[in-house]
Amino acid sequence: MHQKILILDFGSQYTQLIARRVRELNVYCEIHPFNHFPEPDKSVKGIILSGSPHSVREKDSPRVPLESFYAHAPVLGVCYGAQLIAHEYGGKVEKSKVREYGRANLAKVEGKSELMKGVKKGSQVWMSHADTIMELPEGFRIIAGTADVPVAAYKIKQQEIYGLQFHPEVYHSTDGLKILGNFVYDICGCKGDWTPGSFVDETVEGLKKQLGKDKVIMALSGGVDSTVAARLIHNAIGKNLYCIFVDNGLLRKNEYENVLHSYKDFGLNVIGVDARERFYSKLKGVSDPEKKRKIIGGLFIEIFEEESKKIKGAKWLGQGTIYPDVIESVSVKGPSATIKSHHNVGGLPEKMDLKIVEPLRTLFKDEVRRVGRALKISSEFIDRHPFPGPGLAIRILGDITPEKVQIVQDADDIFISRLKKDKLYKKVWQAGAIFLPVQSVGVMGDERTYENVICLRAVTSTDGMTADWSHLPYEFLAAVSNEIINKVKGVNRVVFDISSKPPATIEWE
Ligand code: XMP
């Protein structure tokens, strides 16, 4: 069992960030809600208590059995976590005179403290709190302070219990990673040996034990998560993994052929299903975006089910679920943890009596990419832009016809190929061509034409939740526009979307 840090979540917006930073230090950690966590075992080397929108001054604010933690491993309280420890020991936590939010600098640092080792006076920290620790209990020692917040960090004498009023996990805390490193390495004694390579070895070993000679079925999408998950399972059980890759006719140009080919090159046991006509015929005349999504989702499940039934004796369903899907679905307030159900392929697991195997359920997206690289999966998969499940259906505004699909595929291919050629692809989070449901006038020779308009969409983002339009060079846009108008029959106008999210969205439907 790998060494780990347990992070207890009191509902702070930054809890995931604590986990990401600890993992950047190559230390494995898990987030659990404060009211629903596994009893710490020997593998738990340290416990971090997160921040919270609550105040320890509220009677029913979140509490945890601190005494049992202290007996088990070193504890670090961050913001609310620090206030909670101080409060429980009889310290004074009060509402701040002013809300302390944003950058501050440490005016005092006790360099001898193991937690603050290497942190210099003046170091910038990120504050975000409405309460302040005004008085520390007996036996507590201040180890850092700012001009406005005398108790910015403390330690309980003779015990490995620490509190930080600021957020070391936020990038604006310039020595934050150093402080977290001091905690996990020097105070908790973690080795820092949780690397993509070790993850692959341990996971494959674990999967071998878990799956034995059982058969696993899995849907592949060409995206990074399902590809990496399939490779891990494949490395464990080889041909007993049966992958299904469906062409819904709404993929990018040549995507189905290329991806299927690459999967076969990996040695994956993959069944390709050409279901284009079935999708087109069900989508005929449908313009409402939500209806399109429902039809595509429903038909996909139908086809996956038909194919799965052909694989006799399958016991498991493999899925590319990743950590944010797991923790986002665990409610801090609710009494029990429930996992998002939409990641399951319809009701298939119940219907076919399949158990679920999810080798990536402890990883963040960037970690999936690192693991993918450790598995030597090509950059073509690892660095691929996100692509929506309903595919080009939500990039063709209005009803869908095979002709429109071909136009948008050709325009998209020109756009994406040029992004790659001009080394702009990796600077963009996501890009594509949109088919607009209008026709515009143009001239070709002496004739006036009414033809289609293609809109180019490219955004920068870190998580898809917010996004800015990509400021692509004019020369680049001019070249793409020329090539589309010259080569794609039926298009006489190209426009570029300059809206950010919010208030716009990335997709047009
Ligand atoms: P929006 O358009 O909401 O997109 O800004 C955010 C991200 O989600 C993707 N997206 C979808 N993905 N099914 C999916 O699997 C969908 O119905 C869907 N709609 C949007 C979008 O491509 C972007 O990455």
Side-chain angles (χ1 to χ4, degrees), residues 293 386-390 394-395 429-430 464 501 505-507 509:
R293 281 187 168 88
F387 188 67
I394 57 168
R395 294 189 179 166
W429 162 266
Q430 191 170 357
K501 172 183 179 177
T505 49
I506 297 175
E507 304 295 347
E509 277 195 340

